[in-house]
C-alpha cells in the first residue's frame, strides 16, 4: 500500500490537462497520483504516465469491473472507488493490486477490511464530521487504515494524520488552474511542492 501522506487527485476536463497536472505533482512528495475515471481517456492518461516512468499512479472513481481491469492493464498501481463493491475488491485482491473502496459506516468499513481492502476511503468525510468522525470511528476500530476524501483541504491534512488517518486525498489546493491550462509542468511541480512543504499547524 502507499505510504502515509497526501494523494493528489487528478480530476480535469481533458486528457491534456490531466497529463500536465499528473506530471507536475508526481515530482513532489505526494504518496500517490490518482487519475479519476471522470477524466476523458483516463485509461490512456494512466498508461502514458506509466510509460513515462511515473510511479505511484492509480485509478480513482472506479465503479465497474471493466474499468478496473482496463486500469490495471494500463499499469495502475492502486484502485480507488467511491463506493464498496465486493466484486471490485475481490478481483483487485486476486490481481494483486491495492484497492481502496469508499465507505462511511462502521459496517461498510468492517466488510471492506474482511474482503481484503488495502485501506478504506472515508467519503465524503467532510460532510459527516471530518477529523472528529475519523477519531470517533478509529477508537473502536484502531486497525482500520483510512484514506480521507471529500472536500479535504491542505490545512486539514496534518489534523487528519494526527488522529490516525493513513492518507488524505487533495484536489485543486495543490495547483493553480492557469499553470495546468498552459501546460506548464514545471510551475505545477513547483507550486505543489511549495504547498506540500508549507507549515500547517495542527489545530
Amino acid at each position: 500500500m502507499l505510504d502515509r501522506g497526501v494523494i493528489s487527485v487528478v480530476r480535469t476536463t481533458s486528457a491534456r490537462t490531466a497529463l500536465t497536472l499528473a506530471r507536475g505533482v508526481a515530482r513532489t512528495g505526494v504518496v500517490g497520483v490518482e487519475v479519476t475515471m471522470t477524466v476523458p481517456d483516463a485509461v490512456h492518461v494512466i498508461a502514458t504516465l506509466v510509460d513515462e516512468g511515473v510511479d505511484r499512479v492509480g485509478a480513482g472513481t472506479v465503479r465497474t469491473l471493466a474499468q478496473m481491469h482496463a486500469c490495471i492493464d494500463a499499469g495502475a498501481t492502486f484502485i480507488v472507488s467511491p463506493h464498496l463493491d465486493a466484486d471490485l475488491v475481490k478481483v483487485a485482491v486476486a490481481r494483486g493490486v491495492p484497492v481502496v473502496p469508499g465507505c462511511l459506516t462502521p459496517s461498510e468499513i468492517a466488510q471492506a477490511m474482511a474482503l481484503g481492502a488495502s485501506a478504506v476511503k472515508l467519503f465524503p468525510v467532510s460532510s459527516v464530521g471530518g477529523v472528529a468522525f475519523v477519531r470517533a470511528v478509529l477508537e473502536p476500530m484502531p486497525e482500520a487504515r483510512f484514506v480521507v476524501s471529500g472536500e479535504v483541504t491542505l490545512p486539514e491534512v496534518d489534523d487528519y494524520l494526527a488522529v490516525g488517518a493513513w492518507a488524505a486525498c487533495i484536489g485543486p489546493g495543490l495547483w493553480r488552474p492557469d499553470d495546468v491550462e498552459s501546460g506548464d509542468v514545471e510551475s505545477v511541480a513547483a507550486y505543489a511542492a511549495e504547498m506540500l512543504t508549507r507549515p500547517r499547524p495542527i489545530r
Side-chain angles (χ1 to χ4, degrees), residues 38-85:
T38 54
V39 172
D41 298 320
V43 174
H44 173 69
V45 170
I46 292 170
T48 299
L49 293 169
V50 172
D51 287 344
E52 292 175 355
V54 179
D55 59 3
R56 301 163 294 152
V57 178
T61 322
V62 176
R63 299 177 58 191
T64 69
L65 284 171
Q67 287 177 335
M68 188 184 69
H69 283 302
C71 291
I72 294 175
D73 291 344
T77 58
F78 61 95
I79 299 293
V80 181
S81 297
H83 66 308
L84 174 60
D85 182 312

Side-chain angles (χ1 to χ4, degrees), residues 159-170:
D159 298 333
Y160 279 108
L161 297 180
V163 298
W166 186 259
C169 292
I170 298 293

